[in-house]
Amino acid sequence: MFKQLLVALDLTEMDDYLLRYVLFLAKKFDTERLYFIHNIKSYDLPDSIDTILMEIGKPLEQLVLEEMNEKVERIFSDSGVKINTIVKQSDSTAHTLTKIASELGVDSIVLGKKNAFKGTGIQVNKILRLTEKSVLLIPDYAHYSISKIIVPVDFSKHSELVINIASDISKKENDDLVPIHVYQLPRWFFPYVPEEKANKSLLESAKKSYQKIVNGTNINVDCQFLSGQGKGIARTIYDYATRNQADFIVIGLKGRNQVTGLQLGSVAAKVSQMEWHVPVLLVR
Amino acid sequence: MNNKTNKYFDIYAPVFYPASIIIILFIALTLIIGKPMEQVFSSIQAGITTNAGWFFVLAVNIFFAFAIYFAVSKTGRIRLGGKDAEPEFSTFGWFSMLFSAGLGIGLLFYGVGEPMYHFSDPVLTDGMTKTEAARTAMKFTFLHYGLHAWAVYAVLGLALAFFTFNKKLPLTLRSVFYPLLGDRIYGTIGDIIDVIAVVATLFGLATTLGLGVQQVGAGLKYLFDIPNTTVTHVILIALITSAATVSVVLGLDKGVRVLSELNMRLAIVFLVAMLILGPTIFLLDSFVQNTGLYFQEMIGLGAWTETYNMIDGKFTHWQNDWTIFYWAWWIAWSPFVAMFIARVSKGRTVREFFLGVILVPSLLTFLWMSVFGGSAMFLELQGTAEISSAVRENISTALFVMLDEYPLASLTSFIGIVLVTSFFVTSSDSGSLVIDSITAGGKLDAPVGQRIFWATTEGAVAATLLLGGGLKALQTASVLSGLPFAVILIVMCFSLLKGLNEEVEEMEKAEKVKERRAYQDVIKDLVEKRKDKF
């Protein structure tokens, strides 16, 4: 998952947090190669900027590249990881990122997620929809540690892949792996049937499904079963993660109801938009 | 808006007085003229439906087209209440409120009656086998209660919701014309719009109440052998309206809200009971088949205007009493349904709104019609009972004639009567609330005195129509007020189009500006930093 990464920088202070987190990741998972990319948006820049550019005599791309190199050097100089910095200029960052990720053949795309500024949120969703790679979302103020990994599972085919990936991640330094499953009575459930009974049988069948998934793998942790009644699945996951001091989440990009490849599951979409301080790995 | 306020009334004069005068004049004229009014009503109804029938059909299709357009285009992204608004109710809660908007006296009154009436109607089923006739009967019933009908409510509902929640205009009809009229909505033309809306709503509501009370009458005759005459009906109207009014006076308003939740549950229980007591498999089969056939033929059916149909060398006018009447009825009382839908839909996107409002109640209605109409159809096809002839004689008895053939008839009939009565009460109460709100200039909590005035007036109009000409008169009232209101609604669609498009533009511009500015700042900082290092 983390051997070759494409990291998107946005030239704000967020980059420093992101870079330090990526450093931590690189050390933990022996990352081989890192690509840092920034896409200059083709807006008209104000005249004041043009004037300065003329003074310096260098094109904007070069300045950006220099700045990026400086930042990256400062943090990664002794890391032993091969570094490349890339600057592009296009209308759509999402499309450029997706294309480059594909061309370079990286394992995952790493994005910073600013909780405050909504502008970032729109882009994230677009990238999630376009790319065929997994995406790691790092919020500002994330802890530089991975000790408790939460994996929401919905027992779809994709779930099997997701939980195995999470398990591999946890095995690197023997971190806690906590699979969780949120069950909910369907919203149109007839109000006259006792809820308790229905919940109980939902729970039973969920437990069986979990057994089926972990059968034959080397995963031997129990799954936590949570009721999502009233809150919704994404919210339940969020609350559980915060209450149990999880510091990493692995979730499938596809939902149980996705038919074809490149669509975004509803829970994944909500989870990626929520404002929280835990990194989320969305597995394609 | 300058309202005349005292303890009991909060009136916006330019709307309240003209509307009240028109209505009181109407009541007086009908009662004074007496018997000849029957003929007058008949001629008016025939005149409008024959000559303007095509217009009603066209109008409804226009609303449908607009609804689809708003839902699928970029306007679908607009959120009612602003982009940070959150839905007031959970999806399930919202759906159940939409269901409750769809359940009503119409379903109870025509649920059995309509399919059976169509089944043996010469215009529709001439020369058909029983199979064909059954299919056709259900098809047309679905047309009248299906997506086209809900598109009317949905479009008006969205307009009200958008201009109230997003543009912060008062919750009244005139507000939806702001994009076209600007501040002139506060002037005379706005007053005229609101007056027409009030009159239309009142007549639409009166039609509903009139039909409801006829059905209660039929039920009472069936269960307790109370004579089912117009006098009974008028007494019933008086009784039920007073009961509803008293509840308002005593501040038992909350009671009516509880009542409407209760009657929704009771209706569902009734539906399920019928499903179980009736020929269950047949009913489930029919639901699937009817729905499929409806969707397949929906477009042609929705645009059919009976142009080429003839019997005995003469053009037929079946639609006048059915489709055209329905469209006019729905248009007339759309403010009533639309305001309710608008109120509960804050926080939904335009797309969600249309999908929910058009599909959810329709599907429930299809189920209802399949179950109740189907139960009667089953009996008719098998020759067990002659429901269609009983229905032709007096359509309000249809439900009870059908229930009689199934187990627990006394109980189910009793539930039926209770349901119709409670729908009467809640419709009357909510209806007067809506009319209050428009005549008070868009305020949401009108004083008690005014509520009583309108509740009583509704009852009075319903009673007058019954006395003046029975079912025909009821239909005429809706058709008469539906016509001008349909014109208003079509204009409204364009106003809404403009309003929504403007909103989309603003939204997109704002997003782009924010992003661009932030990014420019970033680049500026970077460049300046590099310059210093240079």
Side-chain angles (χ1 to χ4, degrees):
Chain A
M1 267 288 120
F2 301 124
K3 287 300 174 195
Q4 295 198 67
L5 300 173
L6 176 65
V7 184
L9 299 179
D10 65 3
L11 308 178
T12 64
E13 301 102 29
M14 177 74 203
D15 285 350
D16 288 315
Y17 286 107
L18 192 55
L19 287 172
R20 279 182 228 282
Y21 193 90
V22 173
L23 177 67
F24 151 72
L25 262 191
K27 290 205 177 130
K28 182 166 171 128
F29 293 102
D30 303 320
T31 306
E32 287 163 5
R33 183 167 225 127
L34 287 170
Y35 297 94
F36 295 97
I37 184 171
H38 176 76
N39 177 58
I40 302 178
K41 299 202 226 329
S42 328
Y43 295 147
D44 285 323
L45 295 168
D47 292 328
S48 49
I49 297 188
D50 280 333
T51 335
I52 306 183
L53 284 178
M54 288 215 292
E55 262 187 56
I56 307 179
K58 290 187 192 170
L60 186 56
E61 288 89 329
Q62 194 171 348
L63 288 184
V64 172
L65 199 61
E66 284 176 12
E67 176 73 9
M68 279 170 69
N69 280 328
E70 231 185 72
K71 272 190 179 171
V72 171
E73 274 300 300
R74 211 181 315 143
I75 299 190
F76 284 88
S77 50
D78 312 316
S79 62
V81 187
K82 297 207 192 64
I83 308 280
N84 282 84
T85 45
I86 309 169
V87 174
K88 291 274 174 203
Q89 185 163 30
S90 79
D91 282 333
S92 166
T93 304
H95 280 92
T96 307
L97 269 187
T98 310
K99 198 169 84 137
I100 301 285
S102 216
E103 282 173 14
L104 295 173
V106 297
D107 298 320
S108 313
I109 301 180
V110 182
L111 301 174
K113 180 168 143 50
K114 283 211 276 275
N115 281 324
F117 184 45
K118 291 245 164 95
T120 321
I122 305 172
Q123 265 200 35
V124 168
N125 257 332
K126 219 167 155 203
I127 297 173
L128 289 176
R129 256 181 265 272
L130 286 174
T131 185
E132 34 155 52
K133 305 285 178 190
S134 296
V135 177
L136 177 60
L137 291 179
I138 314 286
D140 39 14
Y141 308 116
H143 287 169
Y144 302 136
S145 76
I146 297 180
S147 58
K148 198 177 216 175
I149 304 172
I150 295 204
V151 196
V153 290
D154 63 5
F155 307 135
S156 60
K157 200 101 223 317
H158 192 53
S159 263
E160 282 189 50
L161 174 68
V162 173
I163 200 175
N164 278 302
I165 289 180
S167 173
D168 289 339
I169 295 178
S170 74
K171 292 247 181 322
K172 196 68 177 36
E173 289 181 0
N174 245 317
D175 303 310
D176 284 340
L177 178 69
V178 185
I180 67 174
H181 172 73
V182 182
Y183 61 91
Q184 244 183 341
L185 284 177
R187 264 8 215 107
W188 38 263
F189 206 66
F190 199 59
Y192 297 108
V193 174
E195 223 179 84
E196 273 194 49
K197 224 167 165 221
N199 269 333
K200 227 173 112 198
S201 58
L202 255 186
L203 197 52
E204 295 295 318
S205 81
K207 288 193 176 143
K208 285 202 200 104
S209 305
Y210 180 69
Q211 281 311 112
K212 255 205 289 175
I213 289 194
V214 295
N215 230 353
T217 64
N218 54 4
I219 301 173
N220 52 14
V221 285
D222 284 331
C223 181
Q224 301 298 315
F225 295 94
L226 307 166
S227 167
Q229 214 67 36
K231 278 199 284 188
I233 299 182
R235 188 86 219 164
T236 312
I237 298 175
Y238 174 95
D239 286 344
Y240 183 85
T242 353
R243 255 184 293 122
N244 291 278
Q245 283 124 12
D247 48 18
F248 203 73
I249 310 222
V250 180
I251 189 169
L253 257 171
K254 285 191 277 211
R256 196 159 30 171
N257 299 318
Q258 303 321 105
V259 174
T260 61
L262 302 173
Q263 280 180 321
L264 193 57
S266 64
V267 177
K270 277 211 196 90
V271 164
S272 68
Q273 277 174 334
M274 285 173 113
E275 295 184 8
W276 49 2
H277 303 298
V278 181
V280 180
L281 175 64
L282 295 128
V283 176
R284 174 68 70 190
Chain B
M1 294 193 135
N2 294 317
N3 281 27
K4 292 206 176 78
T5 0
N6 63 32
K7 192 163 109 177
Y8 302 105
F9 280 82
D10 185 359
I11 305 175
Y12 181 59
V15 174
F16 183 87
Y17 289 124
S20 319
I21 292 174
I22 293 179
I23 291 163
I24 294 179
L25 260 178
F26 170 81
I27 296 178
L29 269 175
T30 311
L31 289 176
I32 294 174
I33 297 182
K35 196 80 170 67
M37 279 312 273
E38 250 186 73
Q39 189 50 41
V40 174
F41 284 130
S42 244
S43 331
I44 295 180
Q45 208 231 6
I48 296 183
T49 51
T50 306
N51 294 307
W54 63 269
F55 174 68
F56 280 108
V57 174
L58 182 62
V60 170
N61 279 296
I62 289 179
F63 301 142
F64 199 22
F66 266 105
I68 295 180
Y69 175 72
F70 289 138
V72 307
S73 75
K74 280 201 208 150
T75 53
R77 276 176 34 196
I78 298 175
R79 196 170 284 277
L80 294 170
K83 68 179 165 72
D84 295 322
E86 280 196 8
E88 226 177 306
F89 305 99
S90 69
T91 311
F92 180 65
W94 186 53
F95 278 1
S96 19
M97 299 204 143
L98 293 179
F99 275 167
S100 74
L103 293 171
I105 293 181
L107 273 190
L108 281 156
F109 191 86
Y110 283 110
V112 174
E114 184 166 344
M116 295 324 294
Y117 208 98
H118 294 331
F119 181 73
S120 54
D121 194 307
V123 177
L124 288 186
T125 58
D126 199 25
M128 284 188 187
T129 62
K130 279 198 172 181
T131 315
E132 282 285 293
R135 274 193 221 131
T136 307
M138 295 311 295
K139 205 169 69 171
F140 273 93
T141 312
F142 275 30
L143 169 68
H144 299 145
Y145 286 89
L147 306 192
H148 286 84
W150 284 96
V152 179
Y153 302 142
V155 173
L156 180 56
L158 182 77
L160 288 170
F162 177 68
F163 288 104
T164 307
F165 295 138
N166 292 51
K167 296 297 175 192
K168 315 286 190 233
L169 292 170
L171 179 59
T172 174
L173 252 302
R174 66 176 82 204
S175 302
V176 315
F177 290 95
Y178 192 77
L180 296 180
L181 299 175
D183 282 328
R184 279 177 293 170
I185 61 169
Y186 295 118
T188 316
I189 192 164
D191 296 335
I192 297 178
I193 293 172
D194 273 354
V195 168
I196 298 184
V198 168
V199 173
T201 309
L202 199 85
F203 279 136
L205 209 43
T207 306
T208 310
L209 298 179
L211 290 174
V213 92
Q214 282 188 328
Q215 184 151 50
V216 175
L220 289 176
K221 170 99 169 84
Y222 170 75
L223 272 186
F224 306 118
D225 213 15
I226 299 176
N228 187 17
T229 63
T230 314
V231 174
T232 319
H233 297 162
V234 175
I235 296 178
L236 280 170
I237 291 183
L239 277 175
I240 304 178
T241 310
S242 340
T245 310
V246 161
S247 80
V248 170
V249 169
L250 294 181
L252 293 177
D253 223 11
K254 298 251 160 62
V256 177
R257 305 272 153 88
V258 171
L259 185 59
S260 70
E261 261 180 54
L262 269 175
N263 71 20
M264 219 246 324
R265 303 234 169 125
L266 188 58
I268 302 280
V269 167
F270 197 36
L271 178 65
V272 173
M274 193 68 235
L275 185 56
I276 297 175
L277 292 172
T280 314
I281 305 296
F282 175 87
L283 296 177
L284 291 172
D285 282 339
S286 79
F287 171 59
V288 175
Q289 179 173 322
N290 295 337
T291 308
L293 187 61
Y294 168 77
F295 276 108
Q296 181 187 332
E297 302 203 16
M298 193 173 69
I299 299 181
L301 209 54
W304 183 65
T305 49
E306 201 184 7
T307 316
Y308 308 116
N309 290 57
M310 299 184 103
I311 285 188
D312 294 335
K314 284 213 180 127
F315 287 112
T316 59
H317 294 287
W318 173 88
Q319 267 201 334
N320 291 5
D321 292 330
W322 288 98
T323 311
I324 312 296
F325 159 60
Y326 268 125
W327 293 160
W329 186 17
W330 299 154
I331 288 174
W333 89 327
S334 58
F336 172 51
V337 182
M339 273 206 190
F340 174 73
I341 296 177
R343 283 241 198 88
V344 303
S345 302
K346 191 170 180 188
R348 301 279 161 196
T349 63
V350 167
R351 192 164 296 153
E352 281 169 9
F353 181 89
F354 279 111
L355 283 177
V357 171
I358 296 186
L359 287 179
V360 170
S362 295
L363 287 174
L364 177 69
T365 310
F366 293 162
L367 182 60
W368 185 282
M369 292 304 196
S370 300
V371 168
F372 284 91
S375 296
M377 196 70 79
F378 184 76
L379 297 167
E380 181 87 13
L381 288 172
Q382 295 213 296
T384 318
E386 292 247 332
I387 312 245
S388 58
S389 39
V391 168
R392 292 218 143 238
E393 237 206 80
N394 184 351
I395 195 170
S396 61
T397 62
L399 177 65
F400 304 105
V401 171
M402 184 273 289
L403 288 176
D404 206 19
E405 300 289 331
Y406 288 103
L408 302 180
S410 314
L411 177 62
T412 51
S413 306
F414 184 68
I415 296 181
I417 298 180
V418 169
L419 258 183
V420 178
T421 314
S422 82
F423 272 123
F424 188 115
V425 172
T426 56
S427 296
S428 159
D429 181 74
S430 319
S432 59
L433 197 62
V434 167
I435 297 184
D436 279 341
S437 153
I438 303 181
T439 52
K443 299 214 183 134
L444 290 177
D445 43 19
V448 169
Q450 207 159 325
R451 298 277 297 276
I452 299 179
F453 175 76
W454 287 116
T456 317
T457 313
E458 276 160 32
V461 172
T464 308
L465 288 169
L466 281 176
L467 288 169
L471 185 60
K472 246 320 146 116
L474 292 172
Q475 291 187 334
T476 310
S478 282
V479 167
L480 193 52
S481 52
L483 185 58
F485 199 55
V487 176
I488 291 184
L489 284 183
I490 293 183
V491 177
M492 173 202 79
C493 286
F494 289 99
S495 175
L496 185 57
L497 179 66
K498 189 159 178 230
L500 289 179
N501 279 339
E502 283 171 3
E503 185 81 358
V504 170
E505 263 183 55
E506 262 185 56
M507 259 169 59
E508 292 183 333
K509 241 198 291 184
E511 276 168 16
K512 285 219 182 85
V513 166
K514 210 159 99 176
E515 258 185 63
R516 175 182 300 204
R517 211 169 274 156
Y519 187 68
Q520 281 178 348
D521 284 341
V522 166
I523 293 286
K524 188 150 160 273
D525 287 342
L526 181 148
V527 168
E528 282 180 356
K529 186 172 156 206
R530 291 271 105 199
K531 169 172 158 224
D532 293 334
K533 294 210 170 180
F534 192 50

